[in-house]
Amino acid sequence: MATTLVKGGTVVSSTGSSLQDVLVDGERIVAMLEPGSAVLGSITADTIVDATGKYVIPGGIDAHTHMEMPFGGTQASDTFETGSRAAAWGGTTTIVDFVVQAHGQRVQDQVALWHEKAAGNCAVDYAFHQIIGEVTDESLKAMDELIDEGITSFKLFMAYPGVFLSSDGQIVRAMQTAAGNGGLIMMHAENGSAIDVLVQQAIARGDTDPYFHGVTRPWQTEQEATHRAVMLADMTGAPLYVVHVSAKQALARIAEARNAGQNAFAETCPQYLYLSLEDNLGARGDEWGAFEGAKWVCSTPLRSREEGHQDELWRYIRTGDVTTVSTDHCPFCMKDQKDMGIGNFAKIPNGIGSVEHRMDLLFQGVVDGRISLEKWVDVCCTTPARMFGLYGRKGVLAPGADADIVIYDPNGHTSIGVGKTHHMNMDYSAWEGYEIDGHVDVVLSRGSVIKNTSGYVGSKSHGQFVKRSLSQNLI
């Protein structure tokens, strides 16, 4: 097998940084060596990658993506091919996508469909979560069966009545099943019934612009649902992972549960760290007018900067109460997709495209002094691997691990925007104009260079399905 030596760089882990060379044989890392080690004198690598002056980190793991996801009469604009290629550009070497089971669908049929969509069409490795959109005896039985298939996490919804929402009783049944089989319950925590009333009232008043998407999903609806999810998980003994947390009050509830020793975990996303109700959902533009804010419609919604959610989320990353930073990558174009909601914000497909930019945006947090270098690697690479049963193979640079390696230049620069850094299948960028004080130079996936300084050099069939074990991050 071909050997590769990544030399001269500073290897950054979740616990520290040091000068080390990384030796790769085929698809795996076989040695971590001190620079100038005598062992290197006996090795002639087929390829040498110079990382002098740069950081060498594990490939990023985006544990929350929705490629080709059906939503509101359309589907996410990124296919597995385009979305995974964009991930590769941005230093993410593994995605965990959601298989969707809606009412009337069999879980096993949907799993087969997602395998069909992804197989041979991924530039990076991939795994699956399972959305349980209808809790029945059959779907609960499927939860047990999927554990053996390497799908060990199950998402439920407290929002979207008539589409995905589960009653508290249904949630209890699913949590009991997870407590029994070792699976992880993932929760979209918003009070969907209350939100629906607020939405209907806003539309009746004529408040139809995207700004009101945020106003009708106030932080209280997120905090209340999060509290309910925490209590039901505590009652049943199921581990709980609350996805895309955006409200500081919801995070405070999760932190309280964690301090009490409960297996409760929070995920947030770059949009909740940087964007806001006022600046984005309330934006106006020459082309779209007040509908400009549709570019940033997602659920949970962007929160008010005046209320201080963004700063608090960064703080919760530092304290460890935010376990991972994923993207909830669910992109839609403005034309022929988001514009379905002109005159009625409730019809705007919910989603933001970020899979290409997560690693950069979080590194900017390092530059700005919000998080440490090690915390960057922790929330983007290592803890996602532990959280979702991938650690040892993914999320770490160590002998025996997959050679998923990113060489990141802290002295480089990345300009984000259409026509600059933008490879997602969208007609706009949610991050237009953002400037990053760093750059993804080289990306290796299982030992193969898929992105270098000349650009993307991978193939759409490189990625493989990865079976996951049970979570490795529980107390």
Side-chain angles (χ1 to χ4, degrees):
M1 290 186 287
T3 55
T4 300
L5 180 66
V6 179
K7 63 179 299 185
T10 298
V11 170
V12 183
S13 73
S14 62
T15 56
S17 308
S18 62
L19 289 172
Q20 291 185 81
D21 296 335
V22 185
L23 182 62
V24 175
D25 186 10
E27 296 190 345
R28 299 291 178 93
I29 296 169
V30 293
M32 304 292 294
L33 303 165
E34 292 184 5
S37 169
V39 174
L40 291 174
S42 62
I43 296 172
T44 302
D46 298 304
T47 303
I48 294 178
V49 179
D50 185 3
T52 302
K54 300 173 184 177
Y55 297 132
V56 181
I57 65 172
I61 298 172
D62 191 341
H64 191 152
T65 68
H66 296 285
M67 306 302 177
E68 305 179 39
M69 177 181 171
F71 191 100
T74 184
Q75 70 174 24
S77 56
D78 261 324
T79 63
F80 278 94
E81 179 181 355
T82 62
S84 65
R85 184 169 63 236
W89 273 97
T92 288
T93 57
T94 305
I95 61 171
V96 190
D97 205 76
F98 284 85
V99 177
V100 178
Q101 179 231 9
H103 283 254
Q105 296 175 334
R106 292 184 69 251
V107 168
Q108 294 89 340
D109 291 342
Q110 295 304 106
V111 171
L113 176 60
W114 252 254
H115 275 296
E116 183 180 335
K117 290 181 179 183
N121 291 311
C122 269
V124 300
D125 287 350
Y126 60 96
F128 293 143
H129 308 291
Q130 177 66 54
I131 289 174
I132 303 295
E134 185 177 22
V135 178
T136 63
D137 289 344
E138 184 180 43
S139 59
L140 294 174
K141 180 181 178 182
M143 288 174 63
D144 289 331
E145 295 170 353
L146 289 182
I147 296 290
D148 293 334
E149 296 180 29
I151 300 174
T152 57
S153 42
F154 308 96
K155 184 179 179 182
L156 302 171
F157 286 80
M158 293 172 149
Y160 306 120
V163 182
F164 288 125
L165 182 143
S166 293
S167 69
D168 288 355
Q170 290 171 323
I171 290 169
V172 166
R173 293 187 70 199
M175 284 183 168
Q176 289 172 333
T177 300
N181 65 26
L184 177 68
I185 292 293
M186 308 174 77
M187 188 66 72
H188 179 129
E190 291 184 290
N191 188 317
S193 299
I195 287 168
D196 266 16
V197 170
L198 298 178
V199 168
Q200 291 162 15
Q201 291 172 343
I203 298 298
R205 290 193 305 268
D207 294 332
T208 61
D209 291 335
Y211 176 80
F212 295 98
H213 171 79
V215 173
T216 56
R217 304 178 93 94
W219 63 261
Q220 290 92 339
T221 62
E222 185 179 354
Q223 184 195 38
E224 185 278 331
T226 300
H227 171 74
R228 206 163 13 112
V230 165
M231 296 307 294
L232 296 178
D234 187 46
M235 180 179 73
T236 58
L240 174 69
Y241 178 96
V242 184
V243 297
H244 50 54
V245 181
S246 63
K248 63 182 182 181
Q249 295 88 348
L251 265 170
R253 183 64 189 92
I254 295 168
E256 180 184 15
R258 290 170 59 79
N259 289 340
Q262 188 174 344
N263 273 312
F265 307 92
E267 164 199 275
T268 197
C269 308
Q271 53 266 35
Y272 306 123
L273 299 171
Y274 285 102
L275 308 179
S276 72
L277 171 72
E278 299 92 339
D279 298 336
N280 300 98
L281 284 179
R284 301 184 68 92
D286 293 338
E287 181 179 2
W288 296 100
F291 194 69
E292 183 82 5
K295 293 177 177 178
W296 298 282
V297 165
C298 59
S299 296
T300 53
L302 304 183
R303 296 294 176 194
S304 169
R305 195 174 301 281
E306 184 178 345
E307 293 175 354
H309 298 277
Q310 293 80 3
D311 289 341
E312 281 294 279
L313 263 61
W314 282 108
R315 183 177 72 83
Y316 279 116
I317 292 175
R318 293 193 297 273
T319 63
D321 291 303
V322 168
T323 304
T324 65
V325 179
S326 304
T327 60
D328 191 11
H329 179 78
C330 192
F332 299 95
C333 294
M334 282 292 279
K335 293 180 180 178
D336 299 325
Q337 290 193 301
K338 293 264 188 181
D339 61 5
M340 293 190 298
I342 292 176
N344 184 346
F345 68 83
K347 295 183 179 180
I348 300 170
N350 286 210
I352 288 179
S354 299
V355 73
E356 183 174 354
H357 306 309
R358 180 183 63 116
M359 299 294 289
D360 282 326
L361 290 165
L362 269 292
F363 182 76
Q364 191 62 43
V366 177
V367 174
D368 295 342
R370 291 183 175 273
I371 57 173
S372 69
L373 191 62
E374 290 76 16
K375 181 60 75 172
W376 172 52
V377 172
D378 182 39
V379 296
C380 290
C381 311
T382 304
T383 297
R386 290 195 178 107
M387 195 74 242
F388 295 107
L390 292 165
Y391 188 75
R393 181 174 177 182
K394 307 290 185 184
V396 63
L397 300 182
D402 283 355
D404 296 346
I405 303 169
V406 174
I407 298 171
Y408 198 90
D409 184 0
N411 298 309
H413 187 83
T414 304
S415 296
I416 301 178
V418 175
K420 293 179 285 188
T421 305
H422 180 81
H423 300 92
M424 297 170 290
N425 187 32
M426 302 169 63
D427 60 3
Y428 75 97
S429 173
W431 303 98
E432 189 71 42
Y434 272 68
E435 302 290 337
I436 305 297
D437 296 315
H439 187 266
V440 175
D441 275 8
V442 180
V443 179
L444 287 81
S445 170
R446 300 193 332 273
S448 296
V449 174
I450 59 173
K451 192 266 181 185
N452 60 26
T453 52
S454 69
Y456 173 72
V457 293
S459 72
K460 75 169 191 174
S461 60
H462 170 78
Q464 296 179 352
F465 175 70
V466 183
K467 292 179 66 173
R468 298 185 291 114
S469 65
L470 300 178
S471 178
Q472 301 155 296
N473 202 48
L474 306 183
I475 59 174

